């Protein structure tokens, strides 16, 4: 018997679309019949109890096999005109072996697929059999196949192309039955019960029928389906569960198709196969939608956005399902971390997955919150497999910690705690500034800490986390001076506030009168990280004046805008240590506002979307009605760019204030690689591009790409991901400082584009 136990049996779950998956072993359940012959025999079966394989000790020759047929627990092995066929698999020589059920068949060494040939029965099991004749102890092997009465579906000639496939799914078991469609009539033998039929050509479904219920021996010709109404669609979605831990897993989920603000459950859900869930929707709105899985145990491995075709059937194959991971965390102990209660926010940071460089936590969204003790352990259960951040606050300290759960594995983490002491003196013209506020803005996390100078102009502050900060200094004698500072340890930091002053006046070019409420935008190019291209708008008072904060040495670029006026030309001013004060005047010419209406692909107001003209003017984010405006006139036919809050860009021609601009679904992200002259990767390179020959304004290209999950600069390996571009059209791309290196491609782009380093 020891040799018998060492013999090899290989079998697999029924093939779904030609993809076999391994079965696994378990002992018989209490009350299960161990054998149709009445012998006490060990059993191998699927977790669903679908198939029993028997090992029998006997005096027969090694490699012999005996097959039994079972219908609803009854032995029907003696059904007339029924044969069991062992078909050699790849690498096995010889013809197929046929034998009668219950008969003894000698099967030569090799691998075989077992099937049933019968006009009245259909097998629900499709095992593989490995014949091994090397044993010294003669054995006879027996197996039991489940069978059900047979029926037939048929297709008349010339209804579908000859390279298409008729596929019928058994609703109860989830098995597929297939037949190539020929030039003549096509007939397919199937179980006589509830079925779903479809005709495939490659990956596309040519036709889909609603459930058919057949009687034993019945022949049913598939009817002509009525045409699908315009704007409607059929949808078939298949979820693939992992091969382990899925017993009954596909029964524990609820799946909905979300589009146009509504959620639709499937008309039919097939769950007979524990590795697969298949849903059928027979009436959904055409267009883009998403699949939503509601389950405490399972989640989609990746977000599923699917385009439901107009007047056709769409099919999404094998969307992978993974177990929801758990996150367990504790604080690293630090003498400066106050004991007691801390607030912890869990942030969903899936939009950071394709981002290079420091994480932009503003792209993360809140999931849940906890109040815990800093010396205790806490956990978040049932999460999506995406990157997360833990944002915590204990006393006056706050920090963010990124954890990636994309691999769907449980994580136990220790939250690092880095708290540093920074102290120093704030002065102006060698005079200490008392009562001055210093606001510390952390570049990566966006967190801010505030402190104030004492009577001697000195301050002390504990900062968390480590990293680069921008220190804003405000007080009675100074207005918002900014300096960058790197904080990796305890350190001294003295600030000498510049003494220069810049006053701007904005007036009407015609009357010379002041324009109250005008905005002055300024950009400072100065030494030090974080100070380059930093812009802040300042609002003029009733006299049309505004005093800007003192500036470190560098070049200041200023632009004035006002509602009802054209945007001013840029003015530049070089500031150095000798600059004490300066006055600038902007004279604005009246213009007419242009209202813009922005919608999503379904025609709904696109709140937060914005528009830009190729010449540079931008709108503010659209309100809840999708409306915003340009401060300059836009003529019908003028090119206009628009971008959604999620970074999807569209180029269109202005059709008038009553013609909305629709922002559609973007094409898939693609990658650009920058290389130096000797072929090495070039990091930190910026890119520019045009759509259909019109350059996307740099602020829109930058911000939209970042919102869509693309990269701002190239990574260490020289690659840069571009996201948010339209699905069609022509794009021309070039390194920002090397326009002569431009490449042009039609959208969508699926290749990796290589560009030289500027």
């Amino acid at each position: 018997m020891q040799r018998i136990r060492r013999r090899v049996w290989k079998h697999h779950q029924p093939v779904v679309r030609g993809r076999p998956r391994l079965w696994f072993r378990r002992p018989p359940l209490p009350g299960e019949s161990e054998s149709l012959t009445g012998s006490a025999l060990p059993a191998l079966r699927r977790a669903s109890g679908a198939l029993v394989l028997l090992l029998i000790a006997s005096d027969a020759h090694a490699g012999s096999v005996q097959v039994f047929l079972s219908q609803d627990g009854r032995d029907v092995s003696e059904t007339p005109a029924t044969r069991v066929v062992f078909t050699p698999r790849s690498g096995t020589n010889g013809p197929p072996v046929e034998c009668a059920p219950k008969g003894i068949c000698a099967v030569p060494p090799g691998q075989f697929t077992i099937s049933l040939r019968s006009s009245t029965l259909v097998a629900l099991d499709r095992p593989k059999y490995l014949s091994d004749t090397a044993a010294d102890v003669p054995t006879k092997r027996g197996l039991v196949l489940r069978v059900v009465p047979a029926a037939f579906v048929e297709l008349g000639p010339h209804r579908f192309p000859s390279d298409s496939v008729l596929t019928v799914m058994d609703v109860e078991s989830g098995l597929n039955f297939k037949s190539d469609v020929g030039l003549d009539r096509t007939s397919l033998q199937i179980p006589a019960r509830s079925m779903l039929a479809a005709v495939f050509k490659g990956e596309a479904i040519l036709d889909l029928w609603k459930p058919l219920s057949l009687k034993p021996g019945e022949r049913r010709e598939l009817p002509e389906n009525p045409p699908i109404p315009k704007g409607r669609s059929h949808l078939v979605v298949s979820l693939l569960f992992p091969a382990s831990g899925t017993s009954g897993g596909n029964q524990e989920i609820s799946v909905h198709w979300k589009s146009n603000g509504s959620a639709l459950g499937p008309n039919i859900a097939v769950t007979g196969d524990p590795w697969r869930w298949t849903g059928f929707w027979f009436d959904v709105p055409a267009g883009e939608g998403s699949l939503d899985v509601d389950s405490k145990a399972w989640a989609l491995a990746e977000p599923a956005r699917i385009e439901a075709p107009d007047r056709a059937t769409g099919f999404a194959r094998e969307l992978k399902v993974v177990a929801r991971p758990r996150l367990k965390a504790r604080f690293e102990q630090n003498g400066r971390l106050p004991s007691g209660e801390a607030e912890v926010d869990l942030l969903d940071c899936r939009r950071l997955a394709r981002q290079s460089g420091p994480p932009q936590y503003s792209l993360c969204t809140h999931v849940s919150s906890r109040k815990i003790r800093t010396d205790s352990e806490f956990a978040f259960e049932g999460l999506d497999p995406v990157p997360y951040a833990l944002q915590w606050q204990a006393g006056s300290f706050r920090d963010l910690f990124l954890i990636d759960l994309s691999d769907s594995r449980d994580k136990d983490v220790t939250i690092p705690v880095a708290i540093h002491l920074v102290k120093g003196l704030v002065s102006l013209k060698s005079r200490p500034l008392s009562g001055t506020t210093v606001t510390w803005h952390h570049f990566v996390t966006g967190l801010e800490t505030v402190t104030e100078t004492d009577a001697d102009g000195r301050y002390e502050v504990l900062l968390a986390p480590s990293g680069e900060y921008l220190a804003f200094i405000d007080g009675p004698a100074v207005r918002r001076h900014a300096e960058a500072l790197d904080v990796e340890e305890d350190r001294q930091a003295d600030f000498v506030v510049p003494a220069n002053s810049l006053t701007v006046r904005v007036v009407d070019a015609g009357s010379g009168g002041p324009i109250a409420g005008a905005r002055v935008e300024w950009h400072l190019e100065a030494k030090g990280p974080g100070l380059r291209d930093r812009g802040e708008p300042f609002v003029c008072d009733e006299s049309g004046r505004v005093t800007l904060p003192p500036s470190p040495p560098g070049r200041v670029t200023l632009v004035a805008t006002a509602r009802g006026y054209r945007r001013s030309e840029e003015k530049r001013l070089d500031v150095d240590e000798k600059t004490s004060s300066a006055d600038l005047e902007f004279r604005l010419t009246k213009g007419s506002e242009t209202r813009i209406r922005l919608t999503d692909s379904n025609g709904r107001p696109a709140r937060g979307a914005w528009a830009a003209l190729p010449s540079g003017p931008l709108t503010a984010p659209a309100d809840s009605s999708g409306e915003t405006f340009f401060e300059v006139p836009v003529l019908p036919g003028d090119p206009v760019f628009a971008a959604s809050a999620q970074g999807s860009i569209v180029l269109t021609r202005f059709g008038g204030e009553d013609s909305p601009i629709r922002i559609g679904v973007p094409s898939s992200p693609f990658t650009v690689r920058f290389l130096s002259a000797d072929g090495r990767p070039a990091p930190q390179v910026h890119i520019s591009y045009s759509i259909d020959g019109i350059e996307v304004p740099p602020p829109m290209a930058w911000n939209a790409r970042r919102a869509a999950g693309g990269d701002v600069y190239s990574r260490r390996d020289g690659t840069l991901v571009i996201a948010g571009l339209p699905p069609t059209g022509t794009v021309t791309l070039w390194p920002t400082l090397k326009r002569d290196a431009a490449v042009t491609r039609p959208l969508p782009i699926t290749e990796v584009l290589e560009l030289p380093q500027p």
Side-chain angles (χ1 to χ4, degrees), residues 130-216:
L130 176 63
S131 178
D132 178 11
T133 59
D136 297 333
V137 179
T139 63
K140 176 176 64 182
R141 294 173 179 172
L143 61 87
V144 177
L145 295 181
R146 293 175 308 142
V147 295
V148 293
F152 296 85
V153 293
E154 297 183 339
L155 282 174
H158 310 300
R159 287 183 58 183
F160 296 96
S162 59
D163 56 349
S164 54
V165 177
L166 172 61
T167 302
V168 177
M169 175 179 282
D170 178 17
V171 173
E172 184 175 332
S173 67
L175 291 177
N176 280 345
F177 298 83
K178 300 181 179 181
S179 175
D180 292 336
V181 175
L183 296 176
D184 299 322
R185 178 171 294 273
T186 303
S187 182
L188 178 60
Q189 187 181 37
I190 60 173
R193 51 192 190 186
S194 183
M195 294 285 130
L196 281 160
V199 174
F200 283 85
K201 183 179 180 181
E203 297 290 314
I205 296 183
L206 302 183
D207 214 341
L208 173 69
W209 286 265
K210 292 185 178 181
L212 307 170
S213 184
L214 288 86
K215 299 177 181 178

Side-chain angles (χ1 to χ4, degrees), residues 596-616:
I596 302 291
R597 293 176 55 208
L598 303 173
T599 72
D600 62 15
S601 58
N602 297 312
R604 296 187 298 252
R607 182 172 186 173
W610 51 296
L613 298 178
S615 57

Side-chain angles (χ1 to χ4, degrees), residues 567 570 612-618 630 632-634 639 641 694-698:
R567 185 182 180 92
E570 292 183 347
L613 298 178
S615 57
L618 311 173
F630 284 108
V632 297
V634 182
F641 287 100
I694 301 177
E695 183 176 352
V696 182

Side-chain angles (χ1 to χ4, degrees), residues 325-402:
R326 169 192 54 78
L327 173 61
K328 185 184 294 184
R330 67 192 62 81
F331 282 99
E332 178 183 66
Q333 295 306 300
N334 184 298
R336 288 172 172 168
L337 182 69
S339 59
E341 192 175 80
E343 294 184 6
V344 179
D345 295 326
L346 181 69
L347 308 181
D348 182 328
C349 298
R350 68 185 69 198
R351 294 172 66 188
L352 300 182
R354 300 187 63 88
Q355 182 197 21
S356 64
Q360 300 174 29
Y361 289 102
S362 60
L363 299 177
C364 301
T365 57
H366 182 269
V367 177
S368 62
S369 300
R370 295 279 178 82
K371 288 188 177 181
I372 53 94
R373 291 189 56 82
T374 55
D375 57 355
S376 65
E377 189 175 69
F378 57 96
F380 293 93
E381 306 280 350
L383 302 178
D384 287 340
V386 299
Y388 288 90
L390 291 176
Q391 179 175 275
W392 60 268
Q393 179 169 0
S396 61
F397 302 117
R398 295 190 295 166
D399 198 358
L400 281 149
F401 179 54
L402 192 64

